[in-house]
Amino acid sequence: MTTVNIGISAEHRQAISEGLGKLLADTYTLYLTTHNFHWNVTGPMFNSLHTMFMAQYTELWNAVDPIAERIRSLGHVAPGSYAQFARLTSLPDAPETPPKAVDMIRILATGHEATARTARSLFALVDEASDEPTADLLTQRLSVHEQTAWMLRALLEE
């Protein structure tokens, strides 16, 4: 591979890429879980949840490419297999038996919060490396995950 000289040290590029790999794994795992729940939701909230989950999994699907491409821009290979994602993610896999709708909501809210924590954990390193494009990407992802978690938590209130 050609030498990468973008003003970020090789050590920082490596560490940031590894962190982004974890964010990519969390995002993809959350995408799969959300899509699974979209397919399998039942009950009185079916229509609203089916529609909401579709909007959420579409947003997550559109997020994986920019994360992976940022890893590539830093000169590293993006993880892209189920085995790699399973090893890197902080999220549990979706239950094999679809849970009740309220449990789906709880699982997704927790998943968005965990993914936000993964993104937030990179800021000190990204700041140290003066990696503004990654900081911008992380800020965008945090905004989405925190807002989505809030909206899901709101559905759980009595």
Side-chain angles (χ1 to χ4, degrees), residues 54-68:
M54 182 169 65
Q56 290 174 1
Y57 79 68
T58 300
E59 193 286 327
L60 290 162
W61 177 252
N62 289 324
V64 295
D65 217 41
I67 298 167

Side-chain angles (χ1 to χ4, degrees), residues 2 43 50 52 58 66 93 101-102 117 124-125 141:
T2 308
H50 184 75
M52 179 177 30
T58 300
D93 198 6
V102 71
R117 290 191 303 273
L125 175 61
R141 298 311 311 146

Side-chain angles (χ1 to χ4, degrees), residues 26-39:
D26 280 0
T27 303
Y28 200 86
T29 302
L30 189 54
Y31 158 77
L32 286 174
T33 300
T34 306
H35 211 151
N36 174 324
F37 290 172
H38 164 79
W39 291 328

Side-chain angles (χ1 to χ4, degrees), residues 111-124:
H112 279 279
E113 290 173 344
T115 306
R117 290 191 303 273
T118 298
R120 182 168 276 109
S121 72
L122 291 170
F123 271 107

Side-chain angles (χ1 to χ4, degrees), residues 71-132:
I71 294 168
R72 295 298 295 146
S73 295
L74 293 168
H76 292 276
V77 175
S81 72
Y82 289 123
Q84 287 174 304
F85 289 155
R87 188 173 61 253
L88 293 170
T89 189
S90 66
L91 306 179
D93 198 6
E96 289 191 25
T97 302
K100 299 288 185 192
V102 71
D103 294 323
M104 289 177 174
I105 296 166
R106 189 173 289 108
I107 289 166
L108 293 178
T110 301
H112 279 279
E113 290 173 344
T115 306
R117 290 191 303 273
T118 298
R120 182 168 276 109
S121 72
L122 291 170
F123 271 107
L125 175 61
V126 166
D127 185 49
E128 181 182 313
S130 298
D131 183 358
E132 290 80 7

